[in-house]
Amino acid sequence: MTLLLTLDDGSIQRKLAEAVDLARAAVLEDAGAEQVGAHVGVDREDAVSASHLFEATVSGYRGWRWSVTVALAGEEEPITVSEVVLIPGPEARVAPAWVPWDRRVQAGDLGVGDIFPVEKDDPRLVPAYLESDDPAVEEVAMEAGLGRVHVLSRHGRLDAAARWHSGEFGPRSDMARSAPDVCGSCGFFVPLAGSLSAAFGACTNDISPADGHVVDVEYGCGAHSEIEVEVTSSVPVAELVYDDSLIDFEPAPETSAEVQPEVEPETVSPAEETADEAQVEAESASEY
């Protein structure tokens, strides 16, 4: 057997895989030809054994298969049949996994009038006369004398905290990931008392989907108290705006004719002007 486990070059598995006729003969002997269908495959069990699978045509067992396990004890030994069993296939309808009766009730199953007793040694609860290491619980117990019969243990608080943190109103929910802010900064957030106050509280906003529920401080929704909506005019404003505070300049067209320079008029002094007037008067007198 040691040689088979250490020195096998694949020949043993080939021999086991080729033993289809031997496996069929074994299942026909147990079930009959009318309940055995086609060969559908072979599964390796270990170094010296394999299981051949045949379709089962048994009434009420649709999708099930016959499994015939064959083995080889030595290289010179013949292949033998170890067992023949009926097993479910990948599409077979099978019963769900068995769950103890005290664990079958899930969250949300409790209805009106139902009673669900607590286990005697439930780790989530401790007697109220023991210190619960929660200041809020100790304060209430002192004010009321002894207080309640049982209070939450540290295990119970951690269990609830883990469930709330990963639940619908925790930071990983779709609502929280798309929220503008978290509950820890919201005015509608009321923290819990005791050691849970650092991480959880109750929502009091009736618009929020978490109203009346325990929420994580990192949860959030679109009804946060500090959200401000920008109010704009309902009158549409044109996107194109003209700015008439600027002056546009356009260059003057160029002319082909040359501009002649202006000739400044000659200036005459007052003395020359008086002499000219005297000469004109003398010429006028000589004509008469």
Side-chain angles (χ1 to χ4, degrees):
M1 183 66 68
T2 303
L3 293 176
L4 291 177
L5 295 175
T6 57
L7 303 178
D8 182 26
D9 58 356
S11 60
I12 295 178
Q13 288 299 320
R14 285 195 297 271
K15 290 180 180 179
L16 294 173
E18 293 172 356
V20 178
D21 294 338
L22 175 64
R24 180 179 289 276
V27 71
L28 289 176
E29 183 178 353
D30 281 4
E34 68 280 359
Q35 295 184 347
V36 182
H39 183 264
V40 294
V42 57
D43 293 337
R44 177 181 178 181
E45 299 292 346
D46 53 35
V48 294
S49 62
S51 294
H52 289 270
L53 303 176
F54 300 89
E55 291 183 352
T57 56
V58 182
S59 177
Y61 287 84
R62 185 176 60 183
W64 284 59
R65 295 174 175 178
W66 291 104
S67 175
V68 182
T69 303
V70 295
L72 186 61
E75 294 182 356
E76 305 299 330
E77 299 295 332
I79 298 177
T80 59
V81 177
S82 298
E83 63 178 356
V84 178
V85 294
L86 189 63
I87 62 174
E91 298 180 357
R93 177 176 292 182
V94 296
W98 185 84
V99 179
W101 68 269
D102 57 340
R103 299 181 183 177
R104 296 177 185 177
V105 178
Q106 302 296 322
D109 290 346
L110 200 65
V112 178
D114 293 340
I115 298 177
F116 185 74
V118 180
E119 295 181 8
K120 182 178 180 180
D121 298 326
D122 194 322
R124 298 171 298 175
L125 299 172
V126 292
Y129 57 81
L130 297 179
E131 292 186 357
S132 64
D133 65 26
D134 190 339
V137 174
E138 303 303 330
E139 182 180 354
V140 172
M142 185 176 297
E143 291 179 357
L146 180 59
R148 294 165 289 175
V149 177
H150 288 94
V151 294
L152 269 179
S153 64
R154 180 178 178 82
H155 173 77
R157 293 195 303 275
L158 293 177
D159 180 65
R163 187 172 62 253
W164 294 342
H165 184 76
S166 60
E168 179 183 358
F169 303 110
R172 299 189 185 123
S173 63
D174 295 337
M175 179 69 74
R177 288 199 297 263
S178 61
D181 209 338
V182 296
C183 289
S185 60
C186 182
F188 296 105
F189 178 78
V190 179
L192 295 182
S195 59
L196 293 175
S197 61
F200 301 99
C203 177
T204 61
N205 190 346
D206 60 340
I207 303 300
S208 172
D211 179 40
H213 294 274
V214 175
V215 295
D216 194 287
V217 292
E218 297 182 3
Y219 176 74
C221 69
H224 195 278
S225 64
E226 308 308 318
I227 294 178
E228 295 182 0
V229 180
E230 183 179 357
V231 180
T232 58
S233 175
S234 59
V235 179
V237 180
E239 296 181 358
L240 183 61
V241 179
Y242 293 95
D243 188 357
D244 55 1
S245 64
L246 301 177
I247 301 177
D248 297 333
F249 294 91
E250 294 184 2
E254 298 181 357
T255 57
S256 57
E258 296 181 357
V259 179
Q260 298 295 332
E262 296 181 358
V263 179
E264 296 181 0
E266 297 181 357
T267 57
V268 181
S269 62
E272 292 177 351
E273 184 177 357
T274 304
D276 292 341
E277 291 178 356
Q279 184 178 357
V280 173
E281 291 178 359
E283 290 178 355
S284 300
S286 63
E287 290 179 357
Y288 294 104

